[in-house]
Amino acid sequence: DGGITQSPKYLFRKEGQNVTLSCEQNLNHDAMYWYRQDPGQGLRLIYYSQIVNDFQKGDIAEGYSVSREKKESFPLTVTSAQKNPTAFYLCASSAGGGFEAFFGQGTRLTVV
Amino acid sequence: GESVGLHLPTLSVQEGDNSIINCAYSNSASDYFIWYKQESGKGPQFIIDIRSNMDKRQGQRVTVLLNKTVKHLSLQIAATQPGDSAVYFCAVAFSGGYNKLIFGAGTRLAVHP
């Protein structure tokens, strides 16, 4: 079945550590996105990529980094520079601008 | 700047009633609009979309209305069921150059028997 997969579902990080969240899609989509969701809040865009080897900062990119070396993969690294990383992270993909985005099931990151 | 907002953070309805969830957006250049449903602890699921060349689009029990003059869209759910209880988000896309989806804050729909 085609879809978008995020792993792990739950992730715990110690302060000062970098962690990488995985996002893989087999939908042959060009565009991929990372969103952050805090409790009772909407989705805020962290980074997005419209094509392999290219990505753009979203509204809250500080403290995060991404790469897009393969079409199907768009990993997100939460660095130690992110002061409040505890949140629910959602990855999405779409065929491009003006097309619906399909979401993964999310990764809940907690700083301990 | 770009913003997408919702009029009501929580909507409570009786089972069988119709529900209307509203969304306002700020950028008149927006040309693609999507409604998503998110259940607790899960990723958002696509419900219905509409493009700026349309005013209305219907799906199964859902209708989206777009009023470009006042930059407002709504999601109507007919005969609301308990399984419709979730948070609903509108999302707006801006075509041209890099396209990105901007999400509203969400409305929680609570369906009571």
Side-chain angles (χ1 to χ4, degrees):
Chain A
D1 288 338
I4 182 165
T5 303
Q6 290 185 243
S7 63
K9 188 171 183 179
Y10 299 97
L11 186 58
F12 297 89
R13 190 195 93 171
K14 293 183 179 179
E15 287 192 20
Q17 284 184 339
N18 295 351
V19 289
T20 298
L21 283 59
S22 171
C23 180
E24 302 278 334
Q25 55 98 0
N26 60 5
L27 300 166
N28 199 34
H29 284 167
D30 286 319
M32 297 188 74
Y33 312 82
W34 274 105
Y35 292 90
R36 169 180 172 141
Q37 187 175 33
D38 292 288
Q41 302 291 318
L43 281 67
R44 292 185 291 169
L45 183 64
I46 304 173
Y47 268 98
Y48 62 108
S49 169
Q50 296 292 340
I51 198 169
V52 175
N53 291 323
D54 194 13
F55 48 83
Q56 300 293 318
K57 292 183 178 180
D59 302 316
I60 56 165
E62 185 175 352
Y64 300 98
S65 66
V66 294
S67 63
R68 187 85 188 276
E69 297 175 359
K70 298 186 296 182
K71 186 176 186 178
E72 59 270 23
S73 179
F74 192 40
L76 173 74
T77 296
V78 184
T79 75
S80 57
Q82 172 48 241
K83 299 305 179 187
N84 184 24
T86 295
F88 189 48
Y89 290 87
L90 287 159
C91 180
S93 71
S94 73
F99 295 91
E100 67 181 274
F102 293 82
F103 282 84
Q105 290 303 296
T107 293
R108 189 166 298 281
L109 173 63
T110 303
V111 174
V112 297
Chain B
E2 303 158 1
S3 68
V4 183
L6 292 165
H7 296 307
L8 295 173
T10 304
L11 178 64
S12 294
V13 299
Q14 292 295 122
E15 181 177 357
D17 286 353
N18 297 334
S19 303
I20 300 176
I21 301 171
N22 296 302
C23 180
Y25 62 96
S26 61
N27 192 324
S28 57
S30 306
D31 56 7
Y32 182 54
F33 309 86
I34 313 173
W35 281 101
Y36 285 91
K37 173 185 180 182
Q38 186 180 27
E39 297 176 330
S40 181
K42 297 183 178 180
Q45 292 179 292
F46 171 88
I47 301 174
I48 191 168
D49 60 1
I50 188 168
R51 299 190 184 274
S52 58
N53 60 349
M54 302 173 68
D55 298 323
K56 178 180 180 179
R57 191 169 186 211
Q58 289 183 295
Q60 187 177 12
R61 285 201 304 118
V62 295
T63 300
V64 55
L65 299 178
L66 175 63
N67 185 330
K68 295 180 289 293
T69 302
V70 296
K71 296 194 283 291
H72 179 273
L73 70 158
S74 66
L75 176 70
Q76 301 178 2
I77 304 174
T80 312
Q81 302 169 359
D84 294 327
S85 294
V87 177
Y88 290 80
F89 293 97
C90 68
V92 174
F94 309 89
S95 63
Y98 280 102
N99 190 290
K100 55 182 180 179
L101 279 176
I102 303 297
F103 281 80
T107 292
R108 181 172 300 281
L109 177 65
V111 182
H112 303 286

